[in-house]
Amino acid sequence: RKEVEQDPGPFNVPEGATVAFNCTYSNSASQSFFWYRQDCRKEPKLLMSVYSSGNEDGRFTAQLNRASQYISLLIRDSKLSDSATYLCVVIPSMSDMRFGAGTRLTVKP
Amino acid sequence: NAGVTQTPKFQVLKTGQSMTLQCAQDMNHEYMSWYRQDPGMGLRLIHYSVGAGITDQGEVPNGYNVSRSTTEDFPLRLLSAAPSQTSVYFCASSSPRAEETQYFGPGTRLLVL
């Protein structure tokens, strides 16, 4: 079983739609959680951190469920520019980032 | 700031050849790392360094060497390339105060024939 698992997608949604991605992790001792965004043939970039209480950044909401060991990312009012692959990142210990394989999103006009 | 730079962008090697992937950062970050990204696998950590003169192995270190003689540079060496090392390689750096915020280079696409 992979340490970090994501639905690979692709998710194809129309502009304005709400879309949610889930990510599960296997190491219950994991300390920190993040979502990164990766555009096609580009490097990953930090999108947002995920806090236990849940957090929001504009149209993006991230949530963590430690008991079930999953994190989620919700995107509201999808834009064409949201088309990318979204990587779930879990840090079980210092200097040890574990990446999911990513979920691909395509937002269509 | 140029951020994190990597050279070359693309490389084709024959099995058994050696090469060095270059990585440099100008943000004075102490932490640097190398990842490889393969389809369906996510990024996997090869080697990392917490400062000049200090390196350690990540999840998939076999077949790769690193050194960190300066804060700015963190080259990755393939000693004897194998087709299994065909991948996209990303170098990343971060501040020790915000280790989770890694800044990635643009990547090197390597094909080993």
Side-chain angles (χ1 to χ4, degrees), chain A residues 25-63:
Chain A
Y25 60 94
S26 60
N27 189 334
S28 59
S30 296
Q31 304 290 319
S32 306
F33 310 87
F34 305 91
W35 285 100
Y36 272 67
R37 171 193 167 125
Q38 186 173 23
D39 292 304
C40 187
R41 302 179 75 80
K42 298 285 190 181
E43 69 273 21
K45 293 182 179 177
L46 177 66
L47 178 67
M48 61 193 300
S49 303
V50 186
Y51 302 122
S52 296
S53 54
N55 50 297
E56 193 173 301
D57 183 1
R59 297 180 293 108
F60 298 83
T61 301
Q63 291 195 308

Side-chain angles (χ1 to χ4, degrees), chain B residues 1-102:
Chain B
N1 286 353
V4 181
T5 57
Q6 289 184 237
T7 56
K9 285 189 168 54
F10 305 97
Q11 184 70 49
V12 179
L13 290 178
K14 293 181 180 177
T15 296
Q17 286 186 313
S18 62
M19 80 159 293
T20 298
L21 280 62
Q22 302 292 345
C23 174
Q25 53 90 11
D26 60 1
M27 297 175 281
N28 202 31
H29 285 166
E30 293 185 21
Y31 184 86
M32 295 186 74
S33 53
W34 276 102
Y35 293 87
R36 60 178 288 174
Q37 186 173 35
D38 302 293
M41 297 290 292
L43 282 88
R44 290 181 291 168
L45 183 64
I46 304 171
H47 285 283
Y48 66 95
S49 169
V50 298
I54 306 169
T55 64
D56 207 345
Q57 295 181 351
E59 187 184 354
V60 288
N62 292 342
Y64 308 95
N65 274 359
V66 292
S67 59
R68 185 92 180 271
S69 55
T70 66
T71 299
E72 293 78 21
D73 300 296
F74 190 43
L76 178 72
R77 280 182 287 278
L78 281 70
L79 305 174
S80 177
S84 60
Q85 293 179 304
T86 293
S87 188
V88 180
Y89 292 85
F90 288 102
C91 178
S93 75
S94 64
S95 164
R97 294 179 300 281
E99 202 171 281
E100 68 279 4
T101 307
Q102 299 220 31

